[in-house]
Amino acid sequence: MTKDTFHQHLQELHLHLTEELLPFWISRTVDDENGGFITHFDQYGYDSGEDEKSLIAQTRSIYTYASAHRAGYGYGKLAELARHGVDYLLSQLWDEEYGGFYWMTNRKGDVINDQKIVYGQSFAIYCLSEYTLATGDPRGVKYARHVFDLLQKYASDTTYGGYFEMFDREWTLKGPGSAGGDRKTLDAHMHLMEAYTTLYECTKQPIHRRKLLEVIELLVHKIMHPIYGTGVPQFWANWEVAPQIKFDVIWGWDRFTEDGVKREAEDNTSYGHNAEFAWLLLHAMAVLEIPIDTYRDQLLKAFSHAVDHGVDWELGGVFVEGSHSGEVYDREKEFWQQAEVLIGFLDAYRIFGDERYWKAYENVHRFVLDKMVNHPVGEWWPLMTRQGVPIWTHMSHSWKINYHTVRAMVQSIRRLDVLMAGQHVAL
């Protein structure tokens, strides 16, 4: 590839980030009356009126604004937005009696779901650590460390390793089945790796390093498929594979059958998750200062599977999910998978030099900018047909927020800058 090629792609991403994505959020998300962020917008970018503020949407928004500010965008406005979000998070979502963050408030800040969900706690650690790194405000890392300590006390499984994930307000483990108390997930543990990476980057404390390394080892040796190196979604407490089911408290809009069981419930993997896991692992290794060869085989398997089976070479973009062995089950195109493979394929090309990763990146880059971005509004369509026709049309809700889209632009631009400079640096 030539520098001109890298520069062309970089310019397109920079224009989208600075002229569309960031203005979309800066102009409409702040709730000046009640604090925190409004996070539900329709296809035209108008407030769709849902009366909720979720832990996921608030923390992901804080992360987005803090990380984009740290990367040099926003002329200080993004730091102000992040601080506004932290004020709400600590005043309305923090449980002063039992510790940890509630799952949901209404717009006014009244708690409407007081459960403690590890997936949400992980994003609190992630955003608050990033916030301190970006602004120097010590409140962020103070509360990030509180949550980390609570997870070690209440959620850590000292028998089989890893973390239980679903708790009542007072940190009592929830029941089995759809309550989720008897299961562990790739999703939560991958985001704990992400969170612990940023926490350790912020504190450099040995305990945070040790727990980060523990989660990485668990992901590589228990959660990723032993042959294909692909992510397995759900497990029983002892790390035997469990059929993937829909939990009572959900954090996404996965398409399940009416009985709440996933199609091919014991043999499905997400191409987006696999690429996301691989690039997050690379970033964790850089922060930990451990060599790439430590997990080289795992990285290659995850990246290769996404390229070989997930990319739609005919119509562009990446599919949703399929079998570990290669068969594609869901050929629709969802926003967050596109976002994560953009970063992942650039990392794979940067690290391994295989041009098929660059071709895969170009493929998804074009699909995103030509079809997935709702250019008149500035954000991305959430779900499209294989051909690129919108199925869902909202621009944002509690699960479809700015975290994937803005992060994909910021991180992809960083990688294209490195490729243009002909460098091989840790990111």
Side-chain angles (χ1 to χ4, degrees), residues 36-277:
F37 302 117
I38 296 167
T39 56
H40 292 71
F41 301 102
D42 66 17
Q43 65 179 309
Y44 306 107
Y46 297 123
D47 179 359
S48 53
E50 281 84 349
D51 185 24
E52 65 179 43
K53 287 176 178 170
S54 72
L55 177 60
I56 293 301
Q58 300 300 310
T59 53
R60 285 180 164 182
S61 295
I62 293 165
Y63 169 82
T64 297
Y65 305 136
S67 64
H69 171 73
R70 185 154 72 121
Y73 299 97
Y75 304 102
K77 178 62 176 177
L78 295 170
E80 295 175 16
L81 287 178
R83 187 172 292 107
H84 176 84
V86 169
D87 289 344
Y88 184 85
L89 187 68
L90 301 185
S91 65
Q92 304 301 125
L93 281 158
W94 178 257
D95 184 345
E96 291 287 354
E97 184 173 0
Y98 294 105
F101 291 97
Y102 300 121
W103 184 247
M104 189 87 68
T105 67
N106 61 20
R107 285 206 181 190
K108 292 182 179 179
D110 304 316
V111 177
I112 58 177
N113 185 328
D114 63 8
Q115 295 176 65
K116 307 293 168 59
I117 311 298
V118 166
Y119 186 90
Q121 308 301 320
S122 75
F123 276 98
I125 296 172
Y126 190 38
C127 82
L128 289 167
S129 301
E130 182 70 26
Y131 172 69
T132 292
L133 286 166
T135 67
D137 186 338
R139 292 183 301 163
V141 71
K142 174 184 175 181
Y143 279 86
R145 294 177 73 155
H146 281 336
V147 177
F148 172 88
D149 291 343
L150 287 165
L151 294 186
Q152 310 320 308
K153 181 178 181 179
Y154 293 115
S156 180
D157 181 355
T158 56
T159 301
Y160 297 108
Y163 296 84
F164 294 108
E165 303 180 19
M166 304 289 199
F167 297 87
D168 292 324
R169 179 191 174 189
E170 68 275 15
W171 293 97
T172 301
L173 185 64
K174 295 182 72 66
S178 61
D182 60 346
R183 290 177 185 247
K184 298 170 181 172
T185 67
L186 160 66
D187 215 359
H189 286 79
M190 182 180 72
H191 289 300
L192 284 171
M193 174 178 70
E194 172 185 68
Y196 289 2
T197 298
T198 307
L199 178 62
Y200 175 64
E201 182 183 3
C202 191
T203 69
K204 297 301 182 183
Q205 290 297 304
I207 184 61
H208 299 148
R209 178 185 180 90
R210 179 161 61 86
K211 290 298 179 180
L212 171 56
L213 287 165
E214 283 182 11
V215 172
I216 290 172
E217 281 290 297
L218 189 68
L219 282 159
V220 171
H221 297 297
K222 293 285 189 183
I223 295 178
M224 306 308 283
H225 195 286
I227 297 172
Y228 300 105
T230 45
V232 178
Q234 289 183 18
F235 298 84
W236 302 113
N238 65 357
W239 295 109
E240 291 182 6
V241 177
Q244 189 179 5
I245 63 171
K246 183 178 181 179
F247 296 130
D248 295 334
V249 176
I250 60 171
W251 47 75
W253 278 23
D254 289 330
R255 274 84 71 213
F256 288 85
T257 59
E258 290 185 5
D259 62 3
V261 177
K262 192 82 166 183
R263 179 193 168 186
E264 308 293 349
E266 295 188 50
D267 181 25
N268 68 87
T269 192
S270 162
Y271 308 111
H273 262 159
N274 295 333
E276 183 181 14
F277 164 74

